[in-house]
Amino acid sequence: MPKEVLVTKHPDDDLIRTDRMPHIWCPCCGIGIVMKCYIKAIKRSGIPPERHVVISGIGCSSRLPGYVNIDSYHTTHGRALPFAIGMNLVKPDLEITVIAGDGDLVTIGGNHFIHAIRRNHDINVVMINNFIYGMTGGQHGATTPLGSKTSTAPYGTIDNPFNMPLLVASLGAPFVARWTTFHVNQLVDAMLKAMKVNGLAFIEVLSPCPTQYGEDNDFPTGLDMMKYFKKMCVVNHEADLTTVDIDLKSGKPIIVGNFVHKEKPSYNDMERKLIEKITKEMKQYG
């Protein structure tokens, strides 16, 4: 009979701020799964933990950096990307990842979001999309599916949500993916790919929020939404991105995959070339 062993330490404890446990997330929230995937990706990346940095704004998802035991920054609402861009320009050797919610990144921080992609800053952006503002009271935002009930749309929202993969791809990002908290292995793989991309890599992660979104929209538990992800998701890496919008009311499949993966000069590359060109001209003409 195998000898019983009392385990007092988790294999990932070195990358978790265990002194900050228990965490603040609600039961069945999916953010912890994303954190687990991020830690796995850090360990498998081959990049030393001291070169990884994680940055967030404000919200439930944005509490994640506070629990990961690497250099982490909890910035102001919607402003994680400007902070990350500044850090990347000064310290381009760092592996910078922004992990934040949909409300923080593309509703409050929407302007910073589109321009960071347009310029192709070398940053990984993981957007945890729970379809709602979770921490601040369950208001609808730019990714809330049409017809969803929220605290600010009790009869169902009439706003058309962003199709995130299409939006990001149209702005020229070299890496665009969408997975869910059900697709753990695929999400870790996408994070590893993102860490190798020269430029802005974007991953949308669909995640349950039973407390604020689920209760009013027929997903009363996190398990209900995970079962929905399992049933409704279709992997299609070659999908026509004009068709991958999310509609939770019509029975339309949720398309997931690594949709875009290409090479493109980053902002850092362009800046370096410009400096080299100007320096050469200055030397030539005195």
Side-chain angles (χ1 to χ4, degrees), residues 198-220:
N198 181 34
L200 195 140
F202 174 79
I203 305 172
E204 178 183 22
V205 186
L206 306 183
S207 174
C209 174
T211 305
Q212 294 289 12
Y213 183 82
E215 275 196 5
D216 293 331
N217 292 284
D218 303 323
F219 299 104

Side-chain angles (χ1 to χ4, degrees), residues 58-60 77 101-104 106-108 128-145 148-154 156-159 209 211-214 216-217:
I58 297 294
C60 298
H77 213 344
D102 47 305
D104 186 77
V106 299
T107 306
I108 288 182
I128 303 176
N129 183 2
N130 61 6
F131 309 120
I132 204 163
Y133 282 98
M135 182 177 283
T136 55
Q139 303 92 335
H140 67 283
T143 63
T144 305
S148 298
K149 295 178 181 177
T150 73
S151 63
T152 48
T157 177
I158 55 174
D159 296 359
C209 174
T211 305
Q212 294 289 12
Y213 183 82
D216 293 331
N217 292 284

Side-chain angles (χ1 to χ4, degrees), residues 67-86:
Y67 300 126
V68 183
N69 192 23
I70 58 173
D71 284 342
S72 53
Y73 299 86
H74 192 205
T75 68
T76 49
H77 213 344
R79 306 298 184 264
L81 278 170
F83 195 95
I85 290 168

Side-chain angles (χ1 to χ4, degrees), residues 9 19 21 25 54 57 71 96 119-120 157 178 246 259:
K9 184 175 170 59
D19 58 317
M21 296 292 157
W25 297 315
V54 60
D71 284 342
I96 300 171
R119 297 188 190 109
N120 198 28
T157 177
R178 173 197 280 158
I246 294 175
F259 303 123

Side-chain angles (χ1 to χ4, degrees), residues 184-228:
V184 171
N185 291 331
Q186 294 93 333
L187 179 54
V188 173
D189 178 66
M191 288 179 172
L192 286 167
K193 285 183 167 63
M195 290 174 185
K196 295 178 181 176
V197 168
N198 181 34
L200 195 140
F202 174 79
I203 305 172
E204 178 183 22
V205 186
L206 306 183
S207 174
C209 174
T211 305
Q212 294 289 12
Y213 183 82
E215 275 196 5
D216 293 331
N217 292 284
D218 303 323
F219 299 104
T221 71
L223 184 59
D224 293 320
M225 184 155 276
M226 293 290 269
K227 287 179 177 176
Y228 185 83

Side-chain angles (χ1 to χ4, degrees), residues 21-264:
M21 296 292 157
H23 57 71
I24 67 162
W25 297 315
C26 301
C28 296
C29 172
I31 300 171
I33 297 173
V34 179
M35 177 173 153
K36 172 73 174 178
C37 292
Y38 179 55
I39 288 174
K40 278 183 176 291
I42 289 174
K43 289 193 166 186
R44 295 178 188 175
S45 68
I47 302 170
E50 58 269 25
R51 280 185 52 209
H52 282 276
V53 178
V54 60
I55 300 171
S56 71
I58 297 294
C60 298
S61 303
S62 294
R63 296 302 290 265
L64 186 152
Y67 300 126
V68 183
N69 192 23
I70 58 173
D71 284 342
S72 53
Y73 299 86
H74 192 205
T75 68
T76 49
H77 213 344
R79 306 298 184 264
L81 278 170
F83 195 95
I85 290 168
M87 184 174 289
N88 173 250
L89 292 176
V90 176
K91 294 282 188 182
D93 56 318
L94 296 177
E95 189 62 42
I96 300 171
T97 301
V98 170
I99 301 181
D102 47 305
D104 186 77
L105 270 175
V106 299
T107 306
I108 288 182
N111 196 44
H112 300 301
F113 183 76
I114 59 175
H115 290 293
I117 300 169
R118 176 177 67 83
R119 297 188 190 109
N120 198 28
H121 291 286
D122 191 12
I123 298 167
N124 313 311
V125 180
V126 178
M127 186 189 81
I128 303 176
N129 183 2
N130 61 6
F131 309 120
I132 204 163
Y133 282 98
M135 182 177 283
T136 55
Q139 303 92 335
H140 67 283
T143 63
T144 305
L146 192 66
S148 298
K149 295 178 181 177
T150 73
S151 63
T152 48
Y155 302 105
T157 177
I158 55 174
D159 296 359
N160 287 301
F162 281 140
N163 173 342
M164 290 307 305
L166 176 63
L167 173 65
V168 178
S170 72
L171 293 166
F175 185 79
V176 182
R178 173 197 280 158
W179 296 102
T180 79
T181 48
F182 178 75
H183 300 85
V184 171
N185 291 331
Q186 294 93 333
L187 179 54
V188 173
D189 178 66
M191 288 179 172
L192 286 167
K193 285 183 167 63
M195 290 174 185
K196 295 178 181 176
V197 168
N198 181 34
L200 195 140
F202 174 79
I203 305 172
E204 178 183 22
V205 186
L206 306 183
S207 174
C209 174
T211 305
Q212 294 289 12
Y213 183 82
E215 275 196 5
D216 293 331
N217 292 284
D218 303 323
F219 299 104
T221 71
L223 184 59
D224 293 320
M225 184 155 276
M226 293 290 269
K227 287 179 177 176
Y228 185 83
F229 289 154
K230 180 182 179 183
K231 178 182 177 183
M232 301 302 293
C233 285
V234 174
V235 179
N236 182 0
H237 301 298
E238 309 298 327
D240 175 357
L241 296 185
T242 62
T243 68
V244 304
D245 54 303
I246 294 175
D247 183 346
L248 302 181
K249 301 292 184 183
S250 67
K252 179 180 179 179
I254 297 173
I255 308 301
V256 295
N258 299 322
F259 303 123
V260 177
H261 197 176
K262 62 184 180 183
E263 293 186 6
K264 180 181 177 181

